Amino acid sequence: VNALSGRSNLSLRVISGVILFPLAVTVTVVGGIPFALLAGGAAAVAALELVRMFGPLGAGEALGVLVAGALPVAANFAQDGALLPPWTALFLAGATVALLGTLLFRSGPLEALPRSAAVVALSWFYCGLLLACAVGLRRFGVGWVILAFVVTWANDTFAYFTGRAFGKRKLFERISPKKTWEGFAGGAVGSVVGALVTRWLLPTEAGPGTTDLASLSIAATVAVGAGGAVLGPLGDLCESMFKRAAGVKDSGWIIPGHGGLLDRIDALLFVAPWIYLWAAYGVS
Amino acid sequence: VNALSGRSNLSLRVISGVILFPLAVTVTVVGGIPFALLAGGAAAVAALELVRMFGPLGAGEALGVLVAGALPVAANFAQDGALLPPWTALFLAGATVALLGTLLFRSGPLEALPRSAAVVALSWFYCGLLLACAVGLRRFGVGWVILAFVVTWANDTFAYFTGRAFGKRKLFERISPKKTWEGFAGGAVGSVVGALVTRWLLPTEAGPGTTDLASLSIAATVAVGAGGAVLGPLGDLCESMFKRAAGVKDSGWIIPGHGGLLDRIDALLFVAPWIYLWAAYGVS
C-alpha cells in the first residue's frame, strides 16, 4: 500500500476501506473454498503484475500465475498443522523443471531469460506462499485472519493521518519520499491498538486443532502488533522498490483508480507469515 | 554435465566416474545425516554458484546458500510420505521476507536488485528443492537414489560415446553446439538399460512406509528410464543456458579441473523429482 505517497489520496483510501475491507472480511468469515479462491486469485493477479513488471515472459507468465495462484488454494487442503499439503513440495519441484525447461525454447536473446524466469520463481514465494499463510491462518480461527487484516490496515491508515499531520523526518527517502518517521510511529500505535481491540472484540471459537486467539496474552498481542508495525511498512517499501527498479508507477490495472493489486496487498504479504508464526507456534 | 562439450575430456570424465560416483553411492548407502549433509552441502555450493553467476548480492548470497542448503537436510526429517517437514513452508515464507527486506538496505543502483534477489529465490527451488527430492528418495529405499544416479550418469556416459562415434545432427546448437541427436539416442538407451539393470541388481528392501523398487514393473522401469533420458539432457541444457546467459564458461571452482559443482549435478537435479514421483506415487 502506498500510504503517504502523492498518488494515494483520501477518496481512494475511503473506497478501499468501504469496499475492499468488508469484502475481504466477509469472504474470510465464509472461509473454505471461497476464501481460498479469493486468496488464490489475488496471488495469481499479483504474480502476473510482478512478472510483467520485469518483462513479458510468454509461457513463464502462465506458470507464474498458475503456481502462485495454486498455493493459497492448496493451503486450504493442508492438515495436521502444516501450512501446505505434503504433495506441494513435489508439485513445486515439477513446476521448477517446467519453468526452466520451457525457457530453453524461447527465441530471442538469452541474456535476460534466467533473471526473468527467476522473477517467476520469486512470485511463487512472494505472492503464492505469503498469501498461503493468510489461508492457513483461517484454520486457527477466523479471528487470526482478521487480526492480520487489522494489524496491516490500521497501520497503514494511522500512518497516513499521523504522517499528514506531523510528518517531518524522512523514513526511507530513496524508495518512498513521502514516508516519515512520524507516520511510522503513528502506524505502530495503530497496529498495536488494532491488535488489542481485535483480540478483545472477537469471540473465542477455538475448535479441535485450532489455537484460540483469546489465549494470546496482552504482552504477546502487543508484540504481534509491534512486529506487524515493522513488517507492514517493510512490505510496502519492498513493493515500492520493485516498482522503482522496474521503472513503473503502478503494479497493475486490476482495481480501477488503484495502483494494482500488489499495491493493495504488499504490506499484508509480509504481515501474514508473522501472524501465522504466532497462531501455529506462539500460543499453546 | 557438459557431455559432448569441448571442455569435457575423457580423463576428467574418468576422474568423475572413479571418485565422485563411488563417493556419492557410498554416502547414499550410509544414508541419514551424512547423506542429508552431503546433499545439503551440494545444494549450498550450487546455489552460491548460481547466484554468483548473476552478480554478487551480499547478504542475499548468504540467504541463498543457507536456505538452499537447508532444504535437503530438512528433507531428511520429513515424515508420513511428505517430501519436506510441515514447518518448511513457513520457514521459506520467513526467508522470503528476509530476502526482500534486506534488499532494501543494499546501497548502489536499484535496477538490478529485484532480478538478482529473484535468482536467490530460484536457487531455493532449483538447487535446494530439487536436491531435497534426492534425499526424500532415500526413505523409499537406497535403490531409488541409486536409480536416479544410474539413470542420470548412464545417460551422460552413453551420450558421450555415442555422440563421439556417430554424432552428426545437432540437437540444440544455440546452447550446446556439440550435442547431437545421435548422442541423445545413445543416452536414452543408457538410461533405459541402466534403469532395468538397477532394478534387477538391487536387493529388495522395502521396510514399513517404503516402496520397494522391485515392485516397479518392467514397463514402468522403461518409462522411468525414458523420462530420465529427456529430463537429464534438459537439465544439462538449462545449466548451459544459464552459463551462456551469464557469459561464464564454468559455474564454479569447487572441484579442481571440473567446471563447477552445478555442471556436475545439473542433469541429476531434473531427474531426481521424476524418480521421486515414481517412488511416492507411481507404484502401489
Side-chain angles (χ1 to χ4, degrees):
Chain A
V1 188
N2 269 281
L4 315 187
S5 85
R7 187 178 51 71
S8 291
N9 61 44
L10 193 55
S11 68
L12 283 184
R13 199 154 294 272
V14 168
I15 293 169
S16 174
V18 169
I19 299 177
L20 293 181
F21 185 79
L23 174 73
V25 170
T26 304
V27 179
T28 300
V29 172
V30 172
I33 296 287
F35 177 51
L37 286 180
L38 181 79
V45 170
L48 185 63
E49 290 179 357
L50 183 72
V51 174
R52 288 244 171 121
M53 250 191 239
F54 296 95
L57 201 75
E61 284 182 18
L63 264 169
V65 167
L66 287 174
V67 175
L71 291 180
V73 178
N76 189 54
F77 299 99
Q79 288 182 320
D80 303 323
L83 175 54
L84 292 167
W87 53 263
T88 318
L90 188 62
F91 168 74
L92 288 172
T96 305
V97 170
L99 172 67
L100 297 178
T102 55
L103 210 61
L104 282 171
F105 301 98
R106 296 263 305 166
S107 53
L110 287 177
E111 284 65 29
L113 282 186
R115 286 189 188 84
S116 300
V119 173
V120 174
L122 179 64
S123 79
W124 297 347
F125 286 117
Y126 177 56
C127 308
L129 183 59
L130 298 191
L131 269 181
C133 292
V135 174
L137 270 180
R138 182 66 180 72
R139 271 199 309 284
F140 299 101
V142 69
W144 285 99
V145 191
I146 306 292
L147 180 66
F149 289 165
V150 169
V151 164
T152 305
W153 287 325
N155 181 273
D156 187 52
T157 308
F158 273 60
Y160 177 75
F161 289 108
T162 319
R164 252 169 81 111
F166 309 108
K168 249 191 198 133
R169 277 159 293 192
K170 300 292 183 194
L171 176 66
F172 213 104
E173 197 163 14
R174 191 164 80 115
I175 306 278
S176 232
K178 301 246 170 155
K179 275 197 200 307
T180 60
W181 278 105
E182 290 78 8
F184 176 82
V189 171
S191 285
V192 170
V193 170
L196 288 168
V197 170
T198 306
R199 180 192 164 284
W200 178 59
L201 278 185
L202 286 184
T204 60
E205 50 147 327
T210 66
T211 312
D212 194 342
L213 183 57
S215 63
L216 212 60
S217 71
I218 299 293
T221 309
V222 171
V224 166
V230 173
L231 289 166
L234 199 65
D236 186 337
L237 284 167
C238 268
E239 205 263 337
S240 300
M241 187 263 293
F242 283 153
K243 288 193 295 184
R244 218 164 255 264
V248 300
K249 195 167 162 295
D250 297 329
S251 69
W253 63 95
I254 193 86
I255 311 171
H258 287 63
L261 184 68
L262 209 44
D263 288 330
R264 296 289 103 192
I265 62 170
D266 50 13
L268 181 66
L269 291 176
F270 274 41
V271 171
W274 168 246
I275 307 288
Y276 190 93
L277 183 70
W278 282 90
Y281 302 103
V283 287
S284 57
Chain B
V1 187
N2 268 282
L4 316 186
S5 86
R7 186 178 51 72
S8 292
N9 61 43
L10 192 55
S11 69
L12 284 183
R13 199 156 292 273
V14 167
I15 293 169
S16 172
V18 169
I19 298 177
L20 293 181
F21 186 78
L23 174 73
V25 170
T26 305
V27 179
T28 301
V29 172
V30 171
I33 297 286
F35 177 51
L37 286 180
L38 181 78
V45 171
L48 185 63
E49 290 179 356
L50 183 72
V51 174
R52 287 244 171 120
M53 250 191 241
F54 296 95
L57 201 73
E61 284 182 18
L63 264 170
V65 167
L66 286 174
V67 175
L71 291 181
V73 178
N76 189 54
F77 300 98
Q79 288 182 318
D80 303 323
L83 174 54
L84 292 168
W87 52 264
T88 318
L90 188 62
F91 167 73
L92 288 172
T96 305
V97 170
L99 172 66
L100 297 178
T102 54
L103 209 60
L104 281 171
F105 300 96
R106 295 263 305 164
S107 53
L110 287 177
E111 285 65 28
L113 282 186
R115 286 188 187 86
S116 300
V119 174
V120 173
L122 180 64
S123 80
W124 297 347
F125 285 118
Y126 177 56
C127 308
L129 183 59
L130 299 191
L131 269 181
C133 291
V135 174
L137 270 179
R138 183 66 180 73
R139 271 199 310 284
F140 298 102
V142 70
W144 286 99
V145 191
I146 306 293
L147 180 66
F149 289 165
V150 169
V151 163
T152 304
W153 286 325
N155 181 273
D156 186 52
T157 308
F158 273 61
Y160 177 74
F161 288 108
T162 318
R164 251 169 81 109
F166 309 108
K168 251 190 195 135
R169 277 159 292 191
K170 300 292 185 195
L171 176 66
F172 214 103
E173 196 163 13
R174 192 163 80 114
I175 307 278
S176 232
K178 300 246 171 155
K179 274 198 199 308
T180 60
W181 278 104
E182 290 78 9
F184 177 81
V189 171
S191 285
V192 171
V193 169
L196 288 168
V197 169
T198 306
R199 181 191 164 283
W200 179 60
L201 279 185
L202 287 184
T204 61
E205 52 147 328
T210 66
T211 311
D212 193 343
L213 183 57
S215 63
L216 211 59
S217 70
I218 299 294
T221 310
V222 171
V224 166
V230 173
L231 289 166
L234 200 66
D236 186 338
L237 283 167
C238 268
E239 205 262 337
S240 299
M241 188 262 293
F242 283 154
K243 288 194 296 186
R244 218 163 254 266
V248 300
K249 196 168 160 296
D250 296 329
S251 68
W253 64 94
I254 192 87
I255 312 172
H258 287 63
L261 185 69
L262 209 44
D263 287 329
R264 297 288 102 191
I265 64 169
D266 50 12
L268 181 66
L269 291 176
F270 274 40
V271 171
W274 168 245
I275 307 288
Y276 190 93
L277 183 71
W278 282 90
Y281 301 103
V283 285
S284 58

